[in-house]
Amino acid sequence: MEEVPHDCPGADSAQAGRGASCQGCPNQRLCASGAGATPDTAIEEIKEKMKTVKHKILVLSGKGGVGKSTFSAHLAHGLAEDENTQIALLDIDICGPSIPKIMGLEGEQVHQSGSGWSPVYVEDNLGVMSVGFLLSSPDDAVIWRGPKKNGMIKQFLRDVDWGEVDYLIVDTPPGTSDEHLSVVRYLATAHIDGAVIITTPQEVSLQDVRKEINFCRKKESQIFPPTTGGAELMCQDLEVPLLGRVPLDPLIGKNCDKGQSFFIDAPDSPATLAYRSIIQRIQEFCNLHQSKEENLISS
Amino acid sequence: MEAAAEPGNLAGVRHIILVLSGKGGVGKSTISTELALALRHAGKKVGILDVDLCGPSIPRMLGAQGRAVHQCDRGWAPVFLDREQSISLMSVGFLLEKPDEAVVWRGPKKNALIKQFVSDVAWGELDYLVVDTPPGTSDEHMATIEALRPYQPLGALVVTTPQAVSVGDVRRELTFCRKTGLRVMGIVENMSGFTCPHCTECTSVFSRGGGEELAQLAGVPFLGADMAPPPPLCPAGSVPLDPALMRTLEEGHDFIQEFPGSPAFAALTSIAQKILDATPACLP
């Protein structure tokens, strides 16, 4: 069997069109001709833009429907409870943008100003951006191939006027594809603190998550570990710490549907307590990271 | 044009059904698997094409992980799951050297493999080919529809959970179906509720009402809607959360064969029956 999948080296890499993995790709000739070799100026522009963003966290899962958007939204809510902390929530799920609904922002539109696109604010210190805000109807389908999706992600990172931000949380679609490659590529020079990986206990989820962990390792993303149970053994095997386990609570679904923070409706739920503990560990990790960086700079 | 003139490896496939959802994790692979098993138990020859390249779930659900794909004179032989060869499967899962290796491909390479899956797999004679898709409305979906269009798929089953968050994504998928000319055969609402095995009270773990709302929006049947009343208080016309179903999927067993008394059995077999009823008769 000759068709063994390998990664795309990237249209602008030295290996573009020439690598073993390029065999059979319809773009091979184009890449080999050097068409993709012009450096993308956006990477520098994004690096500049991200200077005002202290911590960047990706929320990933190979698997769909495990609760990435639910978790991203509640991570944002939890961090934003401190009024002195500025939070940005970026939804790069172009085909299935759930964040507007979960944050109670359905129907909101994005406004342009001289300094770029304005995020939609849930609270004074919590701003949100999603392709959902650019669609005029809830029935509009975004039927885009990879390059167009990548272009949108580039714009989100380069053209949104986030201002001074303590935490940028990036909610991603399931899988290991264009969106993931793009966001990691565009943010690579701006430094990503880490990735939180979400799973459910089922093996069908764990098997996709193992792939996601391997994706992170390949892209040298620091990994915050999977958050829901059944993953303990996997975490041990892959030497990734388990941040916590979130139990099912019917109120989570209800609140997401209403666009409210579940923490407010069910402050004593075991799920709330689990989320809060996970959020605290993420904050500790980010602060530790930050002081390590500062030590490096000052030494 | 050439494809229509030369049906090739899909010549013996009578009916093609796609299983779609805008939303991830609603149970597309589960429904694809159980539909295929139910159709097979109804005496049909079924193939499953898994075009979820990043997260191929079906091999595990059918206990077929680690099987190899072999070449035959007409192309790739699908993996047969039984001695009678009444159920077969093709998935990128079989092509990976290491099961934990991530398939990190951009659109063009994904499109190329999907085209190969459609044209180079020697399916042989099949009553139904069930095509499981990843979530979204992107490269894989466009490639699949383009490649299958000459063979006139019967239509699509669109899967949702009861939550509004799911409906929000899935209504966009309905637009995708409309724009690509794919007929929606019906809406399946999965994870409808959990019936406690001790007290039979039904809990709506993932909210209520999504399936019906979508069916109304789309003007299509809500599959299973005229089923016999399910366990007390659980909404009709939907597939409930069923621990036995989840276990068989983990272990790669045949739920339809092993758990005929289980909560999800009636809904799943009802969906399969609806598909059989909606299938036009073929000339012999």
Side-chain angles (χ1 to χ4, degrees):
Chain A
M1 179 46 58
E2 76 281 13
E3 187 61 55
V4 178
H6 293 293
D7 323 36
C8 165
D12 55 353
S13 92
Q15 279 300 297
R18 297 184 179 87
S21 47
C22 299
Q23 298 299 320
C25 176
N27 281 354
Q28 186 183 11
R29 214 176 289 165
L30 196 64
C31 288
S33 71
T38 17
D40 193 341
T41 51
I43 294 182
E44 268 309 303
E45 290 171 308
I46 290 168
K47 183 181 176 187
E48 229 7 77
K49 203 69 186 243
M50 289 288 130
K51 282 191 171 152
T52 57
V53 177
K54 273 207 199 113
H55 300 290
K56 299 150 207 89
I57 301 171
L58 301 186
V59 180
L60 302 172
S61 180
K63 186 82 182 67
V66 297
K68 288 178 289 311
S69 299
T70 305
F71 180 80
S72 300
H74 287 87
L75 176 60
H77 278 306
L79 291 169
E81 280 173 8
D82 175 0
E83 286 166 0
N84 298 318
T85 311
Q86 199 66 26
I87 309 298
L89 176 56
L90 173 59
D91 175 10
I92 63 165
D93 189 340
I94 310 287
C95 296
S98 306
I99 293 286
K101 184 174 236 350
I102 296 177
M103 299 301 284
L105 297 173
E106 266 194 319
E108 293 282 345
Q109 301 280 295
V110 167
H111 302 286
Q112 290 241 19
S113 72
S115 36
W117 295 359
S118 305
V120 179
Y121 285 92
V122 177
E123 313 282 349
D124 287 338
N125 66 336
L126 173 46
V128 182
M129 181 53 67
S130 166
V131 82
F133 300 138
L134 304 174
L135 300 170
S136 43
S137 155
D139 292 314
D140 281 348
V142 181
I143 310 175
W144 290 358
R145 294 188 187 276
K148 209 163 171 186
K149 290 195 282 188
N150 300 338
M152 184 89 266
I153 292 168
K154 190 197 301 192
Q155 279 195 277
F156 279 161
L157 291 169
R158 185 190 59 197
D159 298 342
V160 174
D161 182 23
W162 294 108
E164 297 279 339
V165 167
D166 293 286
Y167 292 93
L168 170 66
I169 300 160
V170 184
D171 184 32
T172 65
T176 48
S177 190
D178 290 88
E179 296 89 328
H180 312 86
L181 285 167
S182 293
V183 77
V184 167
R185 181 166 162 254
Y186 288 129
L187 286 180
T189 49
H191 181 69
I192 301 172
D193 287 64
V196 180
I197 302 187
I198 317 280
T199 183
T200 60
Q202 293 162 279
E203 182 53 36
V204 78
S205 175
L206 296 174
Q207 87 182 1
D208 286 352
V209 166
R210 286 190 198 100
K211 292 181 206 281
E212 196 75 24
I213 292 175
N214 283 321
F215 167 81
C216 288
R217 289 204 158 132
K218 275 203 176 106
K219 301 293 162 196
E220 289 171 358
S221 282
Q222 185 77 281
I223 296 165
F224 300 125
T227 62
T228 55
E232 195 144 25
L233 194 58
M234 175 183 72
C235 288
Q236 276 168 18
D237 276 344
L238 298 175
E239 290 171 0
V240 164
L242 182 63
L243 272 182
R245 291 186 168 88
V246 183
L248 277 173
D249 184 331
L251 287 176
I252 300 179
K254 280 212 181 89
N255 278 283
C256 285
D257 280 357
K258 281 196 247 165
Q260 293 168 359
S261 167
F262 159 74
F263 300 155
I264 295 173
D265 195 21
D268 301 317
S269 162
T272 300
L273 301 174
Y275 267 123
R276 289 201 182 284
S277 154
I278 290 163
I279 292 171
Q280 187 165 345
R281 288 188 67 175
I282 292 171
Q283 278 178 290
E284 285 162 10
F285 180 93
C286 286
N287 291 334
L288 187 64
H289 233 234
Q290 190 177 348
S291 23
K292 268 191 191 153
E293 289 234 331
E294 283 163 0
N295 284 338
L296 277 171
I297 293 166
S298 60
S299 64
Chain B
M1 268 187 319
E2 279 97 323
E6 213 187 299
N9 277 317
L10 285 177
V13 175
R14 288 197 188 82
H15 305 290
I16 299 171
I17 299 172
L18 284 86
V19 180
L20 302 171
S21 180
K23 187 85 182 67
V26 297
K28 289 176 290 308
S29 299
T30 300
I31 297 293
S32 298
T33 299
E34 301 308 320
L35 174 63
L37 289 170
L39 290 171
R40 185 258 215 125
H41 284 293
K44 302 296 175 190
K45 272 194 89 174
V46 189
I48 309 174
L49 174 56
D50 177 5
V51 300
D52 188 341
L53 304 182
C54 296
S57 307
I58 308 233
R60 164 160 280 273
M61 290 180 173
L62 289 167
Q65 315 94 289
R67 298 278 298 272
V69 172
H70 301 287
Q71 293 261 24
C72 65
D73 55 359
R74 280 161 300 137
W76 299 352
V79 171
F80 288 102
L81 298 164
D82 60 340
R83 223 174 295 139
E84 302 82 30
Q85 298 196 341
S86 59
I87 183 160
S88 54
L89 168 61
M90 180 53 69
S91 167
V92 79
F94 298 134
L95 307 178
L96 299 172
E97 275 178 353
K98 294 180 222 166
D100 297 340
E101 201 62 34
V103 173
V104 188
W105 292 356
R106 291 192 184 269
K109 201 160 180 187
K110 289 198 277 190
N111 298 345
L113 184 59
I114 288 171
K115 278 203 188 99
Q116 276 197 277
F117 273 172
V118 170
S119 62
D120 294 352
V121 175
W123 293 105
E125 297 285 323
L126 287 181
D127 294 297
Y128 292 95
L129 179 64
V130 178
V131 184
D132 183 32
T133 63
T137 49
S138 190
D139 291 90
E140 295 92 325
H141 311 86
M142 289 189 259
T144 304
I145 300 237
E146 263 169 48
L148 289 176
R149 197 185 296 282
Y151 308 101
Q152 295 171 312
L154 195 54
L157 283 190
V158 178
V159 187
T160 183
T161 58
Q163 280 175 280
V165 169
S166 179
V167 170
D169 282 350
V170 180
R171 57 196 296 182
R172 302 187 199 279
E173 194 75 18
L174 294 175
T175 303
F176 172 81
C177 291
R178 209 174 50 246
K179 287 196 164 162
T180 53
L182 185 60
R183 173 186 154 218
V184 177
M185 297 177 77
I187 306 289
V188 174
E189 182 187 271
N190 196 18
M191 306 192 203
S192 276
F194 177 72
T195 302
C196 173
H198 305 294
C199 69
T200 70
E201 185 181 313
C202 184
T203 309
S204 301
V205 182
F206 297 116
S207 293
R208 291 181 76 114
E212 279 188 75
E213 187 188 338
L214 262 181
Q216 264 169 24
L217 275 172
V220 295
F222 182 24
L223 291 188
D226 56 1
M227 266 169 51
L233 301 175
C234 250
S238 36
V239 184
L241 283 164
D242 183 339
L245 173 60
M246 292 191 247
R247 250 192 334 268
T248 54
L249 292 166
E250 287 284 270
E251 293 161 10
H253 294 159
D254 185 338
F255 171 80
I256 304 289
Q257 182 158 298
E258 294 178 25
F259 293 97
S262 207
F265 179 85
L268 291 168
T269 45
S270 163
I271 290 164
Q273 190 56 52
K274 288 268 162 51
I275 299 291
L276 289 166
D277 292 342
T279 304
C282 274
L283 292 168

